[in-house]
Amino acid sequence: MILAAGLGTRMRSTLPKAMHRLGGRPMIAHLIATAETVFDRIVVVVGPGMEALAALCAPHATVVQQERLGTGHAARMAQDLFGEGDVAVLYADNPLITAVTMRALLDARQGAELALVAMRPADPGRYGRVVTEGDRVLRVVEWKDATSEERAIDLCNAGVICAGADALRGWLGDVRAENVQGEYYLTDVVALAAAKGTVRFVEAPEAELAGINSRAELARAEAALQDRLRGEAMEAGVTLVAPETVFLCADTVIEPDVVIEPNVVFGPGVTLRSHVTIRAFSHLEGCEVRGGAIIGPYARLRPGTLCAENTHVGNFVELKAVTLGEGAKANHLTYLGDAAIGPRTNVGAGTITCNYDGVFKHRTTIGADAFIGSDSIFVAPVTVGDGALVAAGSVITEAVPAEAAAFGRGRQVNKEGRAKILRDSLLARKEKR
């Protein structure tokens, strides 16, 4: 069960807290993806008016907590869907909890009435404290209700618990709103479980358990996630020249022997095959780059782009919905949108595909082994055949046959002596000012 009904008031946002993004995906999506690797079934508790959040959780079941009366009340909303076996309660604002910790929680539950996850944060702050006796948990006390002695405890509650379905239903029915907030605390089931038998805890790192309730905490979680993603990439055989300057998405796929230079940003949906080099200050999203390709510096690859083997995309080149054929090059100052570029074709500096007519998008198709001169403009839809040559400065509005040379520019006219006449006239005007 994932509790995700929080409004995120401290976020100062109209979005539900669970929809704020980390590593290019909503917080709830991180947690669901991890939980899917551990649990048989997932139920998400959302708040009223959170249809968009419920849609993000599909195909998993959702229930609505109409009144926000605390975490214990939220858990009650889902109790009819507990089924049999063990039930774990997770929180949407703890999206970085790992599958390792989830499995450790399930293991700790064996032979105990209840198991919970705890941590020792550098600054315990206002976290609830876990009161123990040896390795057994006696109760969890919320910071607002804690005594000064209890606040001195450094073992803090992460909120995550696991118990048998039938027992948890019973304890949830016994929870009372007898506290400073007048809410039903899920943490109260810990004392109820301890009164019946053994409660154990699993300790996990703060980095995967710290709650996210504000923009500042969201930024800290992003930093922690980026450290994790970078570490996983390097462990898998990826070279990050300056790891702290590379920003990855949770779904970024990078194969071994890829080299990524400083200040590179990945949006969602990027796949890099082995032996790719991404040079500095490039931005990639929704694209695939295949072996031997060199991208950047200062390149932008947008969704729908495929750079085949041994392609080159250079500085200040933008590709959107482009297929760049094997060995093709676009090395300087170019925009290619909604286009297919054939193998080994060279695209000169300043080339533009005019793909949008104000209403519809249109495609440009350029064949293999073509040569596109600098400052060429293609007014789509248009086709250039294999082996064709387009002269620099051309505006291409009609098909260019294979092996043809296209000159789509005005004829040059030289006016002898006119440069000096024009220059002298301008200088004379300047002196009169």
Side-chain angles (χ1 to χ4, degrees):
M1 173 172 52
I2 298 174
L3 304 187
L7 287 171
T9 305
R10 288 168 56 194
M11 291 281 192
R12 304 290 191 268
S13 174
T14 57
L15 277 180
K17 181 164 56 173
M19 292 182 68
H20 284 266
R21 289 181 171 266
L22 281 174
R25 65 164 53 152
M27 286 196 282
I28 189 69
H30 283 275
L31 192 54
I32 287 175
T34 305
E36 285 174 337
T37 69
V38 178
F39 298 100
D40 298 320
R41 193 155 50 90
I42 296 171
V43 179
V44 183
V45 180
V46 302
M50 293 185 177
E51 290 80 10
L53 175 58
L56 277 176
C57 299
H60 303 292
T62 57
V63 294
V64 180
Q65 183 189 18
Q66 294 291 348
E67 295 182 273
R68 291 180 174 84
L69 301 178
T71 53
H73 178 261
R76 284 180 188 173
M77 299 300 100
Q79 65 183 4
D80 290 343
L81 299 178
F82 283 179
E84 303 299 325
D86 285 345
V87 177
V89 182
L90 310 175
Y91 292 80
D93 58 5
N94 292 134
L96 301 185
I97 185 171
T98 64
V100 171
T101 297
M102 293 180 189
R103 292 190 182 98
L105 177 69
L106 289 173
D107 290 343
R109 153 77 180 105
Q110 304 310 308
E113 290 293 326
L114 180 144
L116 61 84
V117 178
M119 60 180 173
R120 298 183 195 272
D123 178 11
R126 301 175 72 87
Y127 284 111
R129 302 308 202 261
V130 180
V131 182
T132 61
E133 185 178 83
D135 64 350
R136 299 178 60 172
V137 176
L138 301 180
R139 66 185 183 280
V140 171
V141 58
E142 294 296 327
W143 186 88
K144 294 184 180 70
D145 304 306
T147 65
S148 57
E149 291 81 7
E150 289 168 335
R151 290 180 181 180
I153 297 170
D154 67 349
L155 187 65
C156 295
N157 179 40
V160 177
I161 65 169
C162 181
D166 289 338
L168 184 56
R169 286 191 196 94
W171 295 328
L172 288 172
D174 292 337
V175 170
R176 297 289 179 263
E178 298 170 354
N179 51 64
V180 173
Q181 293 291 97
E183 294 183 349
Y184 297 90
Y185 291 156
L186 180 62
T187 48
D188 287 352
V189 305
V190 176
L192 295 172
K196 186 175 180 182
T198 301
V199 174
R200 302 204 182 279
F201 70 91
V202 172
E203 192 170 334
E206 178 186 6
E208 67 175 82
L209 298 173
I212 301 173
N213 297 292
S214 67
R215 303 282 184 167
E217 290 172 348
L218 183 68
R220 286 194 287 271
E222 181 71 43
L225 176 60
Q226 290 298 328
D227 283 344
R228 182 190 297 181
L229 295 174
R230 293 164 188 150
E232 290 172 352
M234 290 186 287
E235 185 68 23
V238 177
T239 295
L240 303 181
V241 176
E244 70 280 3
T245 70
V246 174
F247 289 85
L248 302 165
C249 268
D251 66 350
T252 305
V253 177
I254 310 177
E255 293 184 350
D257 292 316
V258 167
V259 176
I260 301 175
E261 294 182 358
N263 298 296
V264 174
V265 176
F266 294 91
V270 176
T271 298
L272 305 182
R273 302 302 180 188
S274 292
H275 304 292
V276 162
T277 298
I278 308 297
R279 289 185 168 159
F281 294 98
S282 295
H283 187 285
L284 293 79
E285 180 177 0
C287 62
E288 179 179 349
V289 184
R290 293 182 178 168
I294 300 174
I295 308 299
Y298 295 97
R300 185 182 182 194
L301 304 188
R302 292 173 58 193
T305 292
L306 169 63
C307 294
E309 290 81 356
N310 302 311
T311 50
H312 289 189
V313 177
N315 48 288
F316 304 104
V317 174
E318 179 180 346
L319 307 184
K320 192 276 292 183
V322 168
T323 299
L324 199 60
E326 183 175 355
K329 297 178 181 180
N331 275 325
H332 317 281
L333 304 162
T334 289
Y335 171 72
L336 303 176
D338 297 287
I341 313 298
R344 299 171 301 281
T345 286
N346 186 84
V347 179
T351 295
I352 297 172
T353 60
C354 300
N355 55 327
Y356 183 51
D357 64 8
V359 178
F360 299 106
K361 295 290 183 72
H362 303 280
R363 287 191 69 77
T364 297
T365 302
I366 300 174
D369 300 300
F371 181 87
I372 309 303
S374 296
D375 286 327
S376 294
I377 296 175
F378 295 86
V379 183
V382 69
T383 300
V384 177
D386 294 346
L389 182 150
V390 175
S394 292
V395 178
I396 303 300
T397 59
E398 299 177 0
V400 179
E403 302 296 342
F407 297 84
R409 60 192 184 201
R411 182 178 295 277
Q412 180 174 324
V413 177
N414 297 332
K415 301 291 186 179
E416 297 292 336
R418 288 294 295 272
K420 185 176 187 309
I421 294 170
L422 178 59
R423 187 165 52 249
D424 290 347
S425 172
L426 292 172
L427 289 171
R429 288 168 58 187
K430 183 177 180 180
E431 289 176 359
K432 290 180 180 179
R433 289 185 177 181

